[in-house]
Amino acid sequence: MGAIPRPETPRLDSVPPFLAIRHGETAWNLEGRFQGHSDIPLCEQGRHRTARLAESLVSRLRGDPSARRPAVVLSSPLRRAVETAEVLCQRLGMPRDAVVIDERLREVSFGTWEGLTTLEVKERFPDERRARKRDRWNFAPPRGQSHADAAEAMSSLLCELPCVEIPVLVTHSGNIRALYYLLAGYGETESAGLAIGHHAIISWDGRRLEQIAQ
């Protein structure tokens, strides 16, 4: 199979500043299960830490007079992201309808792997597990999607980001890895191997992508 072509990278000077945040934890996260499109809500720990994240973001904005306040929150349609987005809106003093759902922020599907732990995948699908280790960026489980698919979706989103006061993107780890691939010049292997913790805040100022909180 030939290499999957890299998505067209948006012009760096055309992508407006934004913040990207990974959703809070779910029970499946704590159990180490692949989630993908499975619609798992935040667990108690996830809700608690999301509230702390929102307070931290509010304090950061208040402490920087030059910082522009968010005006819209774009969210993955999955509940764990929507719940995170709603808490952010509440703490930022934004109306609940400021949350706009965008399908391109949805986590990729893990197909037949969803609901399984890494150990269970290794036991049941050893060949697929080895294939993923060889090329984590382009590998997709049966009936699932790859990091390359996430990059294609995120490339489309970046080209259409609203030029408003700093939009906030509430999304998933694979989508954030795609941002590093598209905007920070990271290669496929490097991007796929990035550790993106829950509640990580990623900032794009129009020129540089960096993690500003974890």
Side-chain angles (χ1 to χ4, degrees):
M1 178 182 292
I4 296 176
R6 178 169 178 158
E8 182 179 351
T9 303
R11 283 176 51 85
L12 297 188
D13 59 1
S14 69
V15 178
F18 64 82
L19 297 174
I21 296 174
R22 186 185 178 193
H23 64 82
E25 299 101 323
T26 71
W28 277 20
N29 286 133
L30 299 182
E31 294 167 3
R33 299 186 183 278
F34 288 93
Q35 290 186 114
H37 287 183
S38 296
D39 204 7
I40 312 301
L42 296 180
C43 62
E44 183 176 354
Q45 175 177 308
R47 289 189 291 271
H48 177 69
R49 291 191 62 198
T50 296
R52 289 174 53 191
L53 165 75
E55 291 297 340
S56 174
L57 182 56
V58 169
S59 296
R60 185 181 186 89
L61 292 171
R62 287 174 178 168
D64 184 358
S66 66
R68 291 186 292 165
R69 294 184 64 81
V72 64
V73 177
L74 304 180
S75 175
S76 156
L78 296 171
R79 279 191 292 171
R80 53 192 182 271
V82 173
E83 290 176 6
T84 300
E86 289 176 346
V87 171
L88 288 170
C89 276
Q90 180 183 22
R91 298 303 173 100
L92 289 168
M94 300 166 65
R96 189 169 181 172
D97 61 7
V99 177
V100 177
I101 301 302
D102 195 304
E103 284 286 340
R104 292 169 292 188
L105 292 169
R106 181 192 291 268
E107 185 170 22
V108 296
S109 170
F110 285 104
T112 55
W113 290 14
E114 293 195 11
L116 302 179
T117 65
T118 299
L119 180 59
E120 288 169 339
V121 167
K122 186 176 181 180
E123 291 174 344
R124 300 185 194 183
F125 307 103
D127 292 340
E128 295 169 12
R129 175 67 176 164
R130 284 191 289 271
R132 184 175 189 252
K133 291 183 71 174
R134 287 194 299 271
D135 186 359
R136 187 168 177 175
W137 184 261
N138 293 301
F139 172 80
R143 299 197 296 276
Q145 298 168 297
S146 67
H147 278 93
D149 293 319
E152 183 177 358
M154 294 303 288
S155 178
S156 170
L157 176 71
L158 292 177
C159 289
E160 299 176 11
L161 270 187
C163 295
V164 298
E165 300 293 314
I166 310 295
V168 178
L169 316 180
V170 182
T171 187
H172 308 269
S173 58
N175 304 69
I176 293 176
R177 292 186 185 104
L179 291 177
Y180 278 90
Y181 176 73
L182 293 166
L183 296 176
Y186 283 35
E188 294 178 356
T189 301
E190 187 178 11
S191 299
L194 285 171
I196 308 294
H198 292 94
H199 307 102
I201 303 178
I202 311 300
S203 170
W204 168 254
D205 65 4
R207 296 175 301 172
R208 184 176 61 161
L209 191 73
E210 64 175 335
Q211 183 167 317
I212 60 174
Q214 173 65 62

